[in-house]
Amino acid sequence: MFSVLSYGRLVARAVLGGLSQTDPRAGGGGGGDYGLVTAGCGFGKDFRKGLLKKGACYGDDACFVARHRSADVLGSSTACIVVLDRTSHRLHTANLGDSGFLVVRGGEVVHRSDEQQHYFNTPFQLSIAPPEAEGVVLSDSPDAADSTSFDVQLGDIILTATDGLFDNMPDYMILQELKKLKNSNYESIQQTARSIAEQAHELAYDPNYMSPFAQFACDNGLNVRGGKPDDITVLLSIVAEYTD
C-alpha cells in the first residue's frame, strides 16, 4: 500500500475531482507499516490572504493527497510525486521541473530534489497543448523526471512544495520553521505548514529582500532584487506508524 503526495502547476481540475483528500492515521504500536500524517497550506499570488478552495488549488498551483487511488494528469504542469511504501519504509520520488521536496532528519536536510530548468525561469514541464500550439510550447517527457528511492525513518519530515516556496525561502529559513514542529499531531503539522507558507507569502512581496530567486537571477546576469510574487503551496508530512 502506498501514500502519495503530488504537486503541479495548472493541473487539470479533473484530476483533483477524482481524488479523495485523506490523511493516513498515525498511532502507537510496534514495528509495523509506516504512513504519512500530512497537512497543507498555500496562497495564490493574486490574493493577500489564501484559503484552501475546493479541489486544493492555490492560484494555478494544485495538490492532492491520495490513498489506494491513481489518476491521469492532464494539462500543463511541473510535477513532484512522493510515494511511501508503508511496508518496506522506502520513499520513491519523481520530480520534473522546479517544484520539489526536502526530507529533514534531526534538523538537517538528508535528501532533496534537484531543480530542472531548460534555462533561467523556464522549468521542465508536462503539457498537452491545444492543436494550434503543438510543437510550439515546451513539453517534456515523464522519462525526464529525476527519480530516487531511499529509506525513511520514523519522525522524518517531508516537505513538498511548489517553486513559490523555494524561490522565496532558503533552506535555513525553512529549517527554522520546522524546528517548531514537535510532534506528529495533525493540528501541529497544519500550523507549521501554514507558518511556512505565510512567511514565504510575505517575503514574496518584500521589494528589498534578496530572495533565492533574485540571487539566481543575478547569477544569470539580471539586475533583480526582492521576493518573487507567485502561487505558493506547501505540503508537510511526518513519517509515523500507521494503523489501518
Side-chain angles (χ1 to χ4, degrees):
M1 294 190 296
F2 299 96
S3 297
V4 182
L5 307 179
S6 179
Y7 268 101
R9 176 187 298 147
L10 300 178
V11 177
R13 274 37 173 184
V15 174
L16 302 173
L19 293 170
S20 59
Q21 298 291 320
T22 60
D23 292 301
R25 289 163 289 172
D33 291 352
Y34 285 4
L36 298 176
V37 183
T38 303
C41 185
F43 297 91
K45 63 186 175 185
D46 296 326
F47 299 92
R48 296 300 290 178
K49 293 184 178 180
L51 298 175
L52 177 60
K53 300 179 181 179
K54 182 178 180 180
C57 298
Y58 306 105
D60 289 331
D61 283 358
C63 64
F64 63 81
V65 181
R67 294 172 58 198
H68 317 300
R69 302 287 298 274
S70 62
D72 299 322
V73 178
L74 306 175
S76 177
S77 179
T78 63
C80 182
I81 308 292
V82 176
V83 181
L84 173 64
D85 186 321
R86 299 174 187 158
T87 303
S88 69
H89 307 163
R90 285 186 68 79
L91 201 70
H92 305 279
T93 76
N95 186 66
L96 185 85
D98 56 2
S99 294
F101 70 88
L102 301 175
V103 178
V104 178
R105 180 182 304 151
E108 297 183 355
V109 176
V110 294
H111 298 283
R112 71 174 307 138
S113 56
D114 292 325
E115 185 175 295
Q116 295 177 311
Q117 298 267 4
H118 287 285
Y119 41 87
F120 173 68
N121 206 28
T122 307
F124 283 32
Q125 54 198 277
L126 304 172
S127 64
I128 299 178
E132 63 273 15
E134 288 185 2
V136 178
V137 300
L138 287 173
S139 181
D140 296 288
S141 167
D143 293 336
D146 180 46
S147 301
T148 61
S149 295
F150 48 86
D151 293 335
V152 293
Q153 301 178 11
L154 288 175
D156 282 357
I157 300 171
I158 304 168
L159 180 146
T160 314
T162 52
D163 61 316
L165 173 68
F166 300 116
D167 282 343
N168 287 295
M169 287 184 70
D171 283 2
Y172 80 88
M173 286 188 182
I174 296 173
L175 292 175
Q176 285 176 347
E177 292 299 312
L178 291 179
K179 288 179 181 178
K180 302 175 183 178
L181 186 58
K182 301 300 182 182
N183 55 58
S184 60
N185 177 276
Y186 174 81
E187 287 72 21
S188 177
I189 299 172
Q190 176 68 66
Q191 183 178 3
T192 303
R194 183 171 185 84
S195 177
I196 292 171
E198 286 179 337
Q199 185 169 346
H201 184 63
E202 291 300 318
L203 290 170
Y205 291 90
D206 184 345
N208 299 313
Y209 169 58
M210 181 54 76
S211 64
F213 177 82
Q215 184 60 61
F216 187 32
C218 290
D219 292 343
N220 281 270
L222 302 175
N223 186 16
V224 174
R225 191 173 183 85
K228 182 192 178 189
D230 201 354
D231 303 322
I232 297 168
T233 306
V234 176
L235 279 184
L236 194 58
S237 307
I238 292 184
V239 179
E241 293 207 22
Y242 180 85
T243 56
D244 199 358

